[in-house]
Amino acid sequence: MRNILIAGAISLMLSMVGTPLAIRLFARRGYGQNIREEGPSGHYDKKGTPTMGGTVIVIASLIGYFVAHGVTVFSAVSDPPTASGLLVLFLMTGLGAVGFLDDFIKIYKQRSLGLRSGAKAGGQLVVGAIFAVLVLRFPNAYAVTPADTHVSFLRDIGPSIGLIGFMIWVVFFIVGFSNAVNLTDGLDGLASGATCLVLAAYVLIGNWQLRNSCTTVGFGPNCYWVRDPLDLAVVAAAVLGACLGFLWWNAPPAKIFMGDTGSLALGGVIAGLAFTTRTQLLLVILGGLFAIITMSVIIQVGSFKLTRRRVFRMAPLQHHFELSGWAETTIVVRFWLIAALCVAAGLGLFYLEWMPKQ
């Protein structure tokens, strides 16, 4: 528990202090956001707002995590970093690096498009594939690895899907959720606020899995075979703190944008937490806002290709409401409420398994 508090507090402080420094640095170097011409006209005023703020989230998260473990190294109880925690942080950092390249190209070439879609997807695939291979390694004393070759909901379900099937599933899931957060990052504070809610849920899930671990409470029917539940809660707390500190400056009207650096990194970290806590399909509910926004894009594209008609005024969904006359702040707050309801529903399902059965 102490590590959770330390990681969250350190990353929050670093992000709160580091973000305004990044704003000044990026503004001085001209690292400003370029706006798509086909986007909502109200976004033109945001042109030139510093971007790549996701670098602050990633750096603050890493420092918060390692400082928390560094404190315990010198205490009576040793608590070094774990394989699960390091793999989730690798996934976050790797996808953040792909997003950083995308952002930097946009800035360097002064255009709204960075990496070509194939190159961007290729980078996500490589990082996801490395994670998929490594997450099946590093067994602990009970032969439990950070993940296994099962699809999971509240825990592993059904038969194993095999190594190849699992790798395809991991890469698909990671690319899907990193792009989903990226699509959500269209209004000030929308993606960062929604991600904070999902990360808070994973702090609770990690704690609950620790208290009901098969390795500590015995092999009960509802115990969890999760390798490092406490450290996964530490990771979630570190990223949550960094994200909250960034949100202070990213809330409407935003002083800085996270860019693809932040959105891909945050999508990666919640996908990584889903695999290592054995809650892959539950993330679709916890991150329901991201799923809804992604579906709006799929529906829009599919409808236009099949019928040459659009379902929404513009996709992703938040821009539809902008063009319908909703104020940006109204959309952001209402979408945060939807995200909170999705998290509440997901946590309710997670804990429902433990309710007494009549």
Side-chain angles (χ1 to χ4, degrees), residues 87 90-92 95 123-125 127-132 135 167-181 263-264 266-273 275 283:
L87 283 170
F90 158 77
L91 184 59
M92 176 186 73
L95 290 175
Q124 292 172 287
L125 289 171
V127 174
I130 294 172
F131 176 83
V135 82
M167 291 187 65
I168 294 172
W169 170 236
V170 171
V171 171
F172 171 79
F173 197 88
I174 289 171
V175 172
F177 258 96
S178 58
N179 285 331
V181 177
S263 59
L264 295 186
L266 291 177
V269 77
I270 61 174
L273 288 168
F275 277 100
L283 179 57

mmCIF file of all heavy atoms in Angstrom, residues 87 90-92 95 123-125 127-132 135 167-181 263-264 266-273 275 283:
data_model
loop_
_atom_site.group_PDB
_atom_site.id
_atom_site.type_symbol
_atom_site.label_atom_id
_atom_site.label_comp_id
_atom_site.label_asym_id
_atom_site.label_seq_id
_atom_site.Cartn_x
_atom_site.Cartn_y
_atom_site.Cartn_z
ATOM 1 N N LEU A 87 6.915 -4.917 -17.586
ATOM 2 C CA LEU A 87 6.383 -5.170 -18.929
ATOM 3 C C LEU A 87 5.290 -4.168 -19.301
ATOM 4 O O LEU A 87 5.237 -3.693 -20.442
ATOM 5 C CB LEU A 87 5.843 -6.599 -19.014
ATOM 6 C CG LEU A 87 6.898 -7.697 -19.139
ATOM 7 C CD1 LEU A 87 6.273 -9.078 -18.977
ATOM 8 C CD2 LEU A 87 7.619 -7.600 -20.475
ATOM 9 N N PHE A 90 7.039 -1.033 -20.077
ATOM 10 C CA PHE A 90 7.666 -1.144 -21.401
ATOM 11 C C PHE A 90 6.651 -0.884 -22.500
ATOM 12 O O PHE A 90 6.926 -0.159 -23.471
ATOM 13 C CB PHE A 90 8.269 -2.543 -21.591
ATOM 14 C CG PHE A 90 8.458 -2.918 -23.033
ATOM 15 C CD1 PHE A 90 9.510 -2.392 -23.768
ATOM 16 C CD2 PHE A 90 7.567 -3.770 -23.686
ATOM 17 C CE1 PHE A 90 9.678 -2.709 -25.116
ATOM 18 C CE2 PHE A 90 7.723 -4.097 -25.020
ATOM 19 C CZ PHE A 90 8.788 -3.564 -25.740
ATOM 20 N N LEU A 91 5.466 -1.453 -22.346
ATOM 21 C CA LEU A 91 4.421 -1.267 -23.360
ATOM 22 C C LEU A 91 4.034 0.209 -23.455
ATOM 23 O O LEU A 91 3.889 0.758 -24.556
ATOM 24 C CB LEU A 91 3.206 -2.123 -23.010
ATOM 25 C CG LEU A 91 2.045 -2.122 -23.999
ATOM 26 C CD1 LEU A 91 2.487 -2.607 -25.365
ATOM 27 C CD2 LEU A 91 0.900 -2.996 -23.470
ATOM 28 N N MET A 92 3.877 0.851 -22.304
ATOM 29 C CA MET A 92 3.540 2.271 -22.296
ATOM 30 C C MET A 92 4.632 3.094 -22.966
ATOM 31 O O MET A 92 4.355 3.952 -23.820
ATOM 32 C CB MET A 92 3.356 2.751 -20.850
ATOM 33 C CG MET A 92 3.096 4.246 -20.725
ATOM 34 S SD MET A 92 3.038 4.836 -19.013
ATOM 35 C CE MET A 92 4.779 4.740 -18.588
ATOM 36 N N LEU A 95 4.969 2.347 -26.941
ATOM 37 C CA LEU A 95 3.928 2.991 -27.737
ATOM 38 C C LEU A 95 4.041 4.512 -27.654
ATOM 39 O O LEU A 95 3.753 5.216 -28.629
ATOM 40 C CB LEU A 95 2.552 2.541 -27.253
ATOM 41 C CG LEU A 95 2.198 1.082 -27.560
ATOM 42 C CD1 LEU A 95 0.866 0.700 -26.936
ATOM 43 C CD2 LEU A 95 2.162 0.820 -29.066
ATOM 44 N N GLY A 123 4.824 0.219 -36.105
ATOM 45 C CA GLY A 123 5.448 0.453 -34.807
ATOM 46 C C GLY A 123 4.622 -0.122 -33.674
ATOM 47 O O GLY A 123 5.159 -0.751 -32.746
ATOM 48 N N GLN A 124 3.316 0.057 -33.734
ATOM 49 C CA GLN A 124 2.437 -0.505 -32.709
ATOM 50 C C GLN A 124 2.487 -2.033 -32.719
ATOM 51 O O GLN A 124 2.484 -2.675 -31.659
ATOM 52 C CB GLN A 124 0.999 -0.033 -32.940
ATOM 53 C CG GLN A 124 0.780 1.447 -32.716
ATOM 54 C CD GLN A 124 -0.609 1.896 -33.141
ATOM 55 O OE1 GLN A 124 -0.907 1.986 -34.327
ATOM 56 N NE2 GLN A 124 -1.474 2.173 -32.185
ATOM 57 N N LEU A 125 2.526 -2.606 -33.921
ATOM 58 C CA LEU A 125 2.586 -4.069 -34.031
ATOM 59 C C LEU A 125 3.864 -4.629 -33.439
ATOM 60 O O LEU A 125 3.856 -5.652 -32.735
ATOM 61 C CB LEU A 125 2.462 -4.484 -35.504
ATOM 62 C CG LEU A 125 1.095 -4.314 -36.155
ATOM 63 C CD1 LEU A 125 1.171 -4.562 -37.655
ATOM 64 C CD2 LEU A 125 0.083 -5.258 -35.529
ATOM 65 N N VAL A 127 5.881 -3.270 -31.099
ATOM 66 C CA VAL A 127 5.867 -3.138 -29.635
ATOM 67 C C VAL A 127 4.895 -4.147 -29.025
ATOM 68 O O VAL A 127 5.213 -4.815 -28.027
ATOM 69 C CB VAL A 127 5.480 -1.701 -29.223
ATOM 70 C CG1 VAL A 127 5.321 -1.599 -27.707
ATOM 71 C CG2 VAL A 127 6.533 -0.707 -29.693
ATOM 72 N N GLY A 128 3.709 -4.283 -29.623
ATOM 73 C CA GLY A 128 2.729 -5.239 -29.120
ATOM 74 C C GLY A 128 3.227 -6.675 -29.204
ATOM 75 O O GLY A 128 2.994 -7.473 -28.284
ATOM 76 N N ALA A 129 3.906 -7.027 -30.300
ATOM 77 C CA ALA A 129 4.414 -8.390 -30.462
ATOM 78 C C ALA A 129 5.499 -8.712 -29.435
ATOM 79 O O ALA A 129 5.538 -9.820 -28.883
ATOM 80 C CB ALA A 129 4.958 -8.576 -31.878
ATOM 81 N N ILE A 130 6.377 -7.756 -29.166
ATOM 82 C CA ILE A 130 7.415 -7.967 -28.142
ATOM 83 C C ILE A 130 6.766 -8.192 -26.778
ATOM 84 O O ILE A 130 7.144 -9.097 -26.028
ATOM 85 C CB ILE A 130 8.383 -6.773 -28.104
ATOM 86 C CG1 ILE A 130 9.176 -6.686 -29.403
ATOM 87 C CG2 ILE A 130 9.333 -6.890 -26.906
ATOM 88 C CD1 ILE A 130 10.018 -5.430 -29.528
ATOM 89 N N PHE A 131 5.769 -7.368 -26.461
ATOM 90 C CA PHE A 131 5.045 -7.539 -25.193
ATOM 91 C C PHE A 131 4.392 -8.919 -25.147
ATOM 92 O O PHE A 131 4.436 -9.605 -24.109
ATOM 93 C CB PHE A 131 3.999 -6.444 -25.051
ATOM 94 C CG PHE A 131 3.128 -6.579 -23.835
ATOM 95 C CD1 PHE A 131 3.560 -6.114 -22.604
ATOM 96 C CD2 PHE A 131 1.864 -7.158 -23.918
ATOM 97 C CE1 PHE A 131 2.761 -6.238 -21.472
ATOM 98 C CE2 PHE A 131 1.064 -7.291 -22.795
ATOM 99 C CZ PHE A 131 1.509 -6.822 -21.573
ATOM 100 N N ALA A 132 3.775 -9.350 -26.254
ATOM 101 C CA ALA A 132 3.082 -10.639 -26.292
ATOM 102 C C ALA A 132 4.022 -11.799 -26.014
ATOM 103 O O ALA A 132 3.659 -12.770 -25.341
ATOM 104 C CB ALA A 132 2.402 -10.825 -27.651
ATOM 105 N N VAL A 135 5.394 -11.424 -22.121
ATOM 106 C CA VAL A 135 4.417 -11.535 -21.042
ATOM 107 C C VAL A 135 4.118 -12.992 -20.691
ATOM 108 O O VAL A 135 3.522 -13.279 -19.639
ATOM 109 C CB VAL A 135 3.127 -10.776 -21.432
ATOM 110 C CG1 VAL A 135 2.224 -11.614 -22.329
ATOM 111 C CG2 VAL A 135 2.384 -10.279 -20.201
ATOM 112 N N MET A 167 -0.849 -14.389 -29.390
ATOM 113 C CA MET A 167 -0.061 -13.267 -29.894
ATOM 114 C C MET A 167 -0.912 -12.373 -30.800
ATOM 115 O O MET A 167 -0.828 -11.139 -30.717
ATOM 116 C CB MET A 167 1.173 -13.777 -30.636
ATOM 117 C CG MET A 167 2.212 -14.424 -29.730
ATOM 118 S SD MET A 167 3.744 -14.825 -30.596
ATOM 119 C CE MET A 167 4.337 -13.187 -31.023
ATOM 120 N N ILE A 168 -1.729 -12.991 -31.651
ATOM 121 C CA ILE A 168 -2.612 -12.205 -32.510
ATOM 122 C C ILE A 168 -3.598 -11.409 -31.662
ATOM 123 O O ILE A 168 -3.849 -10.220 -31.918
ATOM 124 C CB ILE A 168 -3.354 -13.124 -33.495
ATOM 125 C CG1 ILE A 168 -2.361 -13.764 -34.479
ATOM 126 C CG2 ILE A 168 -4.438 -12.360 -34.260
ATOM 127 C CD1 ILE A 168 -2.966 -14.834 -35.360
ATOM 128 N N TRP A 169 -4.158 -12.064 -30.637
ATOM 129 C CA TRP A 169 -5.117 -11.405 -29.754
ATOM 130 C C TRP A 169 -4.475 -10.231 -29.013
ATOM 131 O O TRP A 169 -5.061 -9.153 -28.918
ATOM 132 C CB TRP A 169 -5.673 -12.431 -28.781
ATOM 133 C CG TRP A 169 -6.492 -11.904 -27.638
ATOM 134 C CD1 TRP A 169 -6.272 -12.103 -26.318
ATOM 135 C CD2 TRP A 169 -7.694 -11.127 -27.706
ATOM 136 N NE1 TRP A 169 -7.231 -11.493 -25.552
ATOM 137 C CE2 TRP A 169 -8.120 -10.877 -26.391
ATOM 138 C CE3 TRP A 169 -8.440 -10.592 -28.761
ATOM 139 C CZ2 TRP A 169 -9.254 -10.132 -26.082
ATOM 140 C CZ3 TRP A 169 -9.572 -9.846 -28.454
ATOM 141 C CH2 TRP A 169 -9.967 -9.626 -27.143
ATOM 142 N N VAL A 170 -3.259 -10.427 -28.502
ATOM 143 C CA VAL A 170 -2.563 -9.366 -27.770
ATOM 144 C C VAL A 170 -2.320 -8.164 -28.674
ATOM 145 O O VAL A 170 -2.601 -7.011 -28.303
ATOM 146 C CB VAL A 170 -1.222 -9.877 -27.195
ATOM 147 C CG1 VAL A 170 -0.398 -8.724 -26.635
ATOM 148 C CG2 VAL A 170 -1.460 -10.905 -26.106
ATOM 149 N N VAL A 171 -1.775 -8.422 -29.849
ATOM 150 C CA VAL A 171 -1.458 -7.316 -30.765
ATOM 151 C C VAL A 171 -2.731 -6.589 -31.182
ATOM 152 O O VAL A 171 -2.782 -5.350 -31.193
ATOM 153 C CB VAL A 171 -0.691 -7.846 -31.992
ATOM 154 C CG1 VAL A 171 -0.559 -6.761 -33.050
ATOM 155 C CG2 VAL A 171 0.686 -8.345 -31.575
ATOM 156 N N PHE A 172 -3.778 -7.345 -31.520
ATOM 157 C CA PHE A 172 -5.060 -6.727 -31.898
ATOM 158 C C PHE A 172 -5.605 -5.860 -30.771
ATOM 159 O O PHE A 172 -6.053 -4.726 -30.990
ATOM 160 C CB PHE A 172 -6.064 -7.825 -32.262
ATOM 161 C CG PHE A 172 -7.468 -7.335 -32.448
ATOM 162 C CD1 PHE A 172 -7.853 -6.713 -33.632
ATOM 163 C CD2 PHE A 172 -8.414 -7.484 -31.435
ATOM 164 C CE1 PHE A 172 -9.160 -6.248 -33.798
ATOM 165 C CE2 PHE A 172 -9.705 -7.015 -31.596
ATOM 166 C CZ PHE A 172 -10.079 -6.398 -32.782
ATOM 167 N N PHE A 173 -5.562 -6.369 -29.565
ATOM 168 C CA PHE A 173 -6.105 -5.671 -28.401
ATOM 169 C C PHE A 173 -5.314 -4.395 -28.110
ATOM 170 O O PHE A 173 -5.895 -3.329 -27.858
ATOM 171 C CB PHE A 173 -6.052 -6.607 -27.189
ATOM 172 C CG PHE A 173 -6.924 -6.197 -26.040
ATOM 173 C CD1 PHE A 173 -8.243 -6.597 -25.970
ATOM 174 C CD2 PHE A 173 -6.416 -5.407 -25.011
ATOM 175 C CE1 PHE A 173 -9.045 -6.229 -24.905
ATOM 176 C CE2 PHE A 173 -7.213 -5.028 -23.946
ATOM 177 C CZ PHE A 173 -8.541 -5.448 -23.887
ATOM 178 N N ILE A 174 -3.988 -4.504 -28.155
ATOM 179 C CA ILE A 174 -3.141 -3.351 -27.859
ATOM 180 C C ILE A 174 -3.297 -2.269 -28.922
ATOM 181 O O ILE A 174 -3.453 -1.082 -28.597
ATOM 182 C CB ILE A 174 -1.672 -3.797 -27.737
ATOM 183 C CG1 ILE A 174 -1.471 -4.608 -26.456
ATOM 184 C CG2 ILE A 174 -0.723 -2.592 -27.766
ATOM 185 C CD1 ILE A 174 -0.112 -5.274 -26.347
ATOM 186 N N VAL A 175 -3.255 -2.657 -30.170
ATOM 187 C CA VAL A 175 -3.433 -1.673 -31.252
ATOM 188 C C VAL A 175 -4.816 -1.042 -31.159
ATOM 189 O O VAL A 175 -4.973 0.180 -31.317
ATOM 190 C CB VAL A 175 -3.219 -2.331 -32.629
ATOM 191 C CG1 VAL A 175 -3.596 -1.373 -33.749
ATOM 192 C CG2 VAL A 175 -1.764 -2.770 -32.782
ATOM 193 N N GLY A 176 -5.816 -1.868 -30.865
ATOM 194 C CA GLY A 176 -7.176 -1.363 -30.771
ATOM 195 C C GLY A 176 -7.335 -0.335 -29.664
ATOM 196 O O GLY A 176 -7.893 0.750 -29.885
ATOM 197 N N PHE A 177 -6.827 -0.638 -28.472
ATOM 198 C CA PHE A 177 -7.030 0.289 -27.363
ATOM 199 C C PHE A 177 -6.127 1.510 -27.448
ATOM 200 O O PHE A 177 -6.534 2.606 -27.033
ATOM 201 C CB PHE A 177 -6.857 -0.415 -26.012
ATOM 202 C CG PHE A 177 -8.179 -0.724 -25.373
ATOM 203 C CD1 PHE A 177 -8.753 -1.975 -25.528
ATOM 204 C CD2 PHE A 177 -8.869 0.235 -24.659
ATOM 205 C CE1 PHE A 177 -9.987 -2.260 -24.975
ATOM 206 C CE2 PHE A 177 -10.105 -0.038 -24.104
ATOM 207 C CZ PHE A 177 -10.669 -1.291 -24.265
ATOM 208 N N SER A 178 -4.931 1.364 -27.973
ATOM 209 C CA SER A 178 -4.083 2.558 -28.123
ATOM 210 C C SER A 178 -4.696 3.511 -29.142
ATOM 211 O O SER A 178 -4.702 4.735 -28.946
ATOM 212 C CB SER A 178 -2.656 2.166 -28.523
ATOM 213 O OG SER A 178 -2.633 1.433 -29.733
ATOM 214 N N ASN A 179 -5.268 2.962 -30.212
ATOM 215 C CA ASN A 179 -5.944 3.813 -31.194
ATOM 216 C C ASN A 179 -7.253 4.372 -30.647
ATOM 217 O O ASN A 179 -7.659 5.491 -31.000
ATOM 218 C CB ASN A 179 -6.215 3.033 -32.482
ATOM 219 C CG ASN A 179 -4.957 2.836 -33.305
ATOM 220 O OD1 ASN A 179 -4.043 3.649 -33.253
ATOM 221 N ND2 ASN A 179 -4.894 1.745 -34.059
ATOM 222 N N ALA A 180 -7.925 3.618 -29.773
ATOM 223 C CA ALA A 180 -9.180 4.095 -29.190
ATOM 224 C C ALA A 180 -8.944 5.324 -28.319
ATOM 225 O O ALA A 180 -9.702 6.302 -28.379
ATOM 226 C CB ALA A 180 -9.833 2.980 -28.369
ATOM 227 N N VAL A 181 -7.895 5.295 -27.503
ATOM 228 C CA VAL A 181 -7.571 6.475 -26.689
ATOM 229 C C VAL A 181 -7.147 7.619 -27.597
ATOM 230 O O VAL A 181 -7.489 8.783 -27.356
ATOM 231 C CB VAL A 181 -6.475 6.139 -25.664
ATOM 232 C CG1 VAL A 181 -6.094 7.386 -24.862
ATOM 233 C CG2 VAL A 181 -6.946 5.038 -24.712
ATOM 234 N N SER A 263 -1.496 9.709 -25.921
ATOM 235 C CA SER A 263 -2.674 8.865 -26.153
ATOM 236 C C SER A 263 -2.287 7.412 -26.437
ATOM 237 O O SER A 263 -2.917 6.486 -25.914
ATOM 238 C CB SER A 263 -3.514 9.424 -27.300
ATOM 239 O OG SER A 263 -2.781 9.503 -28.496
ATOM 240 N N LEU A 264 -1.238 7.194 -27.235
ATOM 241 C CA LEU A 264 -0.811 5.814 -27.490
ATOM 242 C C LEU A 264 -0.233 5.183 -26.229
ATOM 243 O O LEU A 264 -0.456 4.001 -25.946
ATOM 244 C CB LEU A 264 0.216 5.775 -28.620
ATOM 245 C CG LEU A 264 -0.268 6.197 -30.009
ATOM 246 C CD1 LEU A 264 0.817 5.959 -31.061
ATOM 247 C CD2 LEU A 264 -1.547 5.465 -30.412
ATOM 248 N N LEU A 266 -0.992 5.911 -23.063
ATOM 249 C CA LEU A 266 -2.060 5.620 -22.107
ATOM 250 C C LEU A 266 -2.912 4.437 -22.570
ATOM 251 O O LEU A 266 -3.328 3.602 -21.755
ATOM 252 C CB LEU A 266 -2.932 6.859 -21.911
ATOM 253 C CG LEU A 266 -2.260 8.033 -21.183
ATOM 254 C CD1 LEU A 266 -3.197 9.225 -21.106
ATOM 255 C CD2 LEU A 266 -1.802 7.628 -19.791
ATOM 256 N N GLY A 267 -3.178 4.355 -23.867
ATOM 257 C CA GLY A 267 -3.887 3.195 -24.378
ATOM 258 C C GLY A 267 -3.101 1.919 -24.131
ATOM 259 O O GLY A 267 -3.662 0.874 -23.788
ATOM 260 N N GLY A 268 -1.778 2.013 -24.280
ATOM 261 C CA GLY A 268 -0.930 0.850 -24.041
ATOM 262 C C GLY A 268 -0.920 0.409 -22.590
ATOM 263 O O GLY A 268 -0.982 -0.784 -22.292
ATOM 264 N N VAL A 269 -0.863 1.363 -21.674
ATOM 265 C CA VAL A 269 -0.756 0.985 -20.260
ATOM 266 C C VAL A 269 -2.046 0.333 -19.759
ATOM 267 O O VAL A 269 -1.994 -0.648 -19.010
ATOM 268 C CB VAL A 269 -0.359 2.199 -19.382
ATOM 269 C CG1 VAL A 269 -1.515 3.141 -19.127
ATOM 270 C CG2 VAL A 269 0.224 1.738 -18.053
ATOM 271 N N ILE A 270 -3.212 0.818 -20.195
ATOM 272 C CA ILE A 270 -4.437 0.170 -19.726
ATOM 273 C C ILE A 270 -4.629 -1.193 -20.391
ATOM 274 O O ILE A 270 -5.135 -2.135 -19.771
ATOM 275 C CB ILE A 270 -5.686 1.066 -19.914
ATOM 276 C CG1 ILE A 270 -5.928 1.407 -21.378
ATOM 277 C CG2 ILE A 270 -5.573 2.328 -19.073
ATOM 278 C CD1 ILE A 270 -7.230 2.176 -21.612
ATOM 279 N N ALA A 271 -4.177 -1.338 -21.641
ATOM 280 C CA ALA A 271 -4.224 -2.661 -22.282
ATOM 281 C C ALA A 271 -3.279 -3.620 -21.574
ATOM 282 O O ALA A 271 -3.615 -4.788 -21.335
ATOM 283 C CB ALA A 271 -3.862 -2.544 -23.754
ATOM 284 N N GLY A 272 -2.085 -3.146 -21.223
ATOM 285 C CA GLY A 272 -1.132 -3.981 -20.501
ATOM 286 C C GLY A 272 -1.661 -4.408 -19.144
ATOM 287 O O GLY A 272 -1.493 -5.565 -18.730
ATOM 288 N N LEU A 273 -2.319 -3.495 -18.438
ATOM 289 C CA LEU A 273 -2.910 -3.840 -17.147
ATOM 290 C C LEU A 273 -4.017 -4.872 -17.313
ATOM 291 O O LEU A 273 -4.185 -5.760 -16.469
ATOM 292 C CB LEU A 273 -3.457 -2.576 -16.476
ATOM 293 C CG LEU A 273 -2.413 -1.599 -15.927
ATOM 294 C CD1 LEU A 273 -3.061 -0.275 -15.559
ATOM 295 C CD2 LEU A 273 -1.704 -2.198 -14.723
ATOM 296 N N PHE A 275 -4.169 -7.288 -19.512
ATOM 297 C CA PHE A 275 -3.583 -8.621 -19.721
ATOM 298 C C PHE A 275 -2.953 -9.150 -18.441
ATOM 299 O O PHE A 275 -3.113 -10.335 -18.113
ATOM 300 C CB PHE A 275 -2.550 -8.583 -20.846
ATOM 301 C CG PHE A 275 -3.160 -8.704 -22.211
ATOM 302 C CD1 PHE A 275 -3.365 -7.582 -22.993
ATOM 303 C CD2 PHE A 275 -3.565 -9.933 -22.702
ATOM 304 C CE1 PHE A 275 -3.957 -7.679 -24.242
ATOM 305 C CE2 PHE A 275 -4.155 -10.056 -23.949
ATOM 306 C CZ PHE A 275 -4.361 -8.920 -24.727
ATOM 307 N N LEU A 283 -11.993 -4.747 -19.584
ATOM 308 C CA LEU A 283 -11.534 -3.416 -19.981
ATOM 309 C C LEU A 283 -12.466 -2.790 -21.018
ATOM 310 O O LEU A 283 -12.595 -1.565 -21.075
ATOM 311 C CB LEU A 283 -10.103 -3.485 -20.531
ATOM 312 C CG LEU A 283 -9.496 -2.159 -21.005
ATOM 313 C CD1 LEU A 283 -9.508 -1.121 -19.890
ATOM 314 C CD2 LEU A 283 -8.085 -2.365 -21.534
#
